[in-house]
Amino acid sequence: MEKVSNIIPYFIKQLNGIVQEREIISLAYISIDFLLGYNRSDCIIHSVKDITSEVSDRIKQIIADLKTNKPIQHIIGETEFYELKFKLNEHALIPRPETEELVKWILQHEFTSALDIGTGSGCIAIALRKNKDAEISAIDVSESALLVAKENAKINEVEINFLLQDILKTTALPKADVIVSNPPYVLDMEKEIMLDNVLNNEPHLALFVPDNNPLLFYKKIAELAFTSLSKNGLLFFEINERFGKETVAMLNAIGFVDIELKKDINDKDRMIKATKN
């Protein structure tokens, strides 16, 4: 593995049979970008360039970690979300492409203040602030997650008002035009079908809800939001595809109007918007 052109074949050889080839190539390019700062076209331009023994050793270590099901985002300690760089560790969920879709939907609306509940890495709050001149606050129950989020706000040069708060014990929220949450929504019983790289590396606090109370967080947040949202304020949720209709019915019962259930790129019920009038 002396040259840049050898890196991708090396990844394929090492991970063949463990990961699908398309995924291996993607992992290789993420690693190359992280280690060398090369995108796909740079790899062609610099294909005959020698790589140092240090880079070669780092590549071998990355592959060894990938073989243990560790996510690439945790191995390199960062990820990209909404074209922004985010630091990551095991204390915050790895941002998903579906959540980018949610951010895009929110940014199609006008607002001057927003609150992100269960902010994790801070990806939603930071992406909103980076793309909208608005006052953004963000809540999380995990002190460790908030440390990650604060660092990400600094990296992306935005001001966010971060609050350490347990939403299930909260009695009132700050006033806002938009409230957004991607709360825990995976049922405990779904653990059995989850991939090991998620189950063993992501914070369970941010993932799971009891089987007998799947809307635990949604109902609590919706009730608080109905009081604290401004007139015509909007509530956005990322949801478990299984409970789209139930979530709509719950929002209806609380008094929200114009409730819209939206599918993600994989054609799954993944997002909801509701208006307080």
Side-chain angles (χ1 to χ4, degrees), residues 2 10 14 25 28 47 78 92 104 117 140 152-153 155 176 187 195 204 219 222 233 266:
E2 299 96 18
Y10 184 75
Q14 290 295 318
I25 292 167
S47 62
E78 64 178 43
K104 188 178 180 183
I117 297 171
D140 206 285
N152 284 326
I155 290 165
L187 300 180
L195 298 171
H204 287 203
K219 190 166 187 297
N266 301 311

Side-chain angles (χ1 to χ4, degrees), residues 23-212:
E23 173 77 354
I24 297 171
I25 292 167
S26 169
L27 292 167
Y29 277 120
I30 290 169
S31 305
I32 292 166
D33 181 35
F34 175 68
L35 294 171
L36 298 170
Y38 292 170
N39 61 25
R40 290 185 183 224
S41 50
D42 292 333
C43 288
I44 298 165
I45 296 162
H46 299 291
S47 62
V48 295
K49 191 171 178 181
D50 291 335
I51 57 172
T52 64
S53 58
E54 186 192 353
V55 168
S56 179
D57 289 345
R58 293 289 302 278
I59 287 168
K60 287 170 184 167
Q61 186 56 57
I62 286 170
I63 287 169
D65 287 339
L66 286 169
K67 285 178 177 176
T68 69
N69 278 323
K70 197 171 180 184
I72 186 71
Q73 296 90 339
H74 284 169
I75 295 167
I76 65 173
E78 64 178 43
T79 193
E80 197 174 275
F81 179 85
Y82 221 78
E83 297 181 358
L84 301 168
K85 277 267 193 282
F86 285 84
K87 290 276 184 202
L88 268 191
N89 61 27
E90 70 281 5
H91 299 300
L93 283 183
I94 297 166
R96 294 341 193 238
E98 298 88 344
T99 310
E100 287 185 314
E101 293 180 65
L102 178 64
V103 168
K104 188 178 180 183
W105 195 19
I106 297 168
L107 287 169
Q108 289 165 3
H109 300 78
E110 286 307 313
F111 58 92
T112 58
S113 59
L115 171 66
D116 174 25
I117 297 171
T119 196
S121 65
C123 63
I124 293 175
I126 291 164
L128 291 178
R129 182 65 191 91
K130 203 75 182 165
N131 289 279
K132 187 77 84 169
D133 185 16
E135 193 178 311
I136 313 285
S137 298
I139 288 170
D140 206 285
V141 68
S142 163
E143 213 163 334
S144 304
L146 283 178
L147 287 174
V148 177
K150 285 173 183 174
E151 189 180 352
N152 284 326
K154 200 180 287 183
I155 290 165
N156 288 290
E157 301 175 327
V158 292
E159 284 286 327
I160 309 278
N161 178 29
F162 289 109
L163 304 159
L164 180 65
Q165 212 167 318
D166 181 346
I167 196 65
L168 296 177
K169 294 176 182 167
T170 298
T171 53
L173 292 173
K175 289 279 178 199
D177 297 335
V178 163
I179 290 177
V180 55
S181 186
N182 177 16
Y185 61 64
V186 182
L187 300 180
D188 281 330
M189 69 182 193
E190 290 177 298
K191 280 180 188 174
E192 292 169 19
I193 56 166
M194 289 187 83
L195 298 171
D196 283 347
N197 64 342
V198 176
L199 207 53
N200 300 334
N201 295 283
E202 304 250 33
H204 287 203
L205 185 68
L207 283 171
F208 296 108
V209 283
D211 295 339
N212 63 354

Side-chain angles (χ1 to χ4, degrees), residues 10-23:
Y10 184 75
F11 262 83
I12 292 169
K13 186 182 171 194
Q14 290 295 318
L15 295 172
N16 192 23
I18 302 169
V19 187
Q20 289 183 334
E21 186 163 315
R22 199 177 64 179
E23 173 77 354

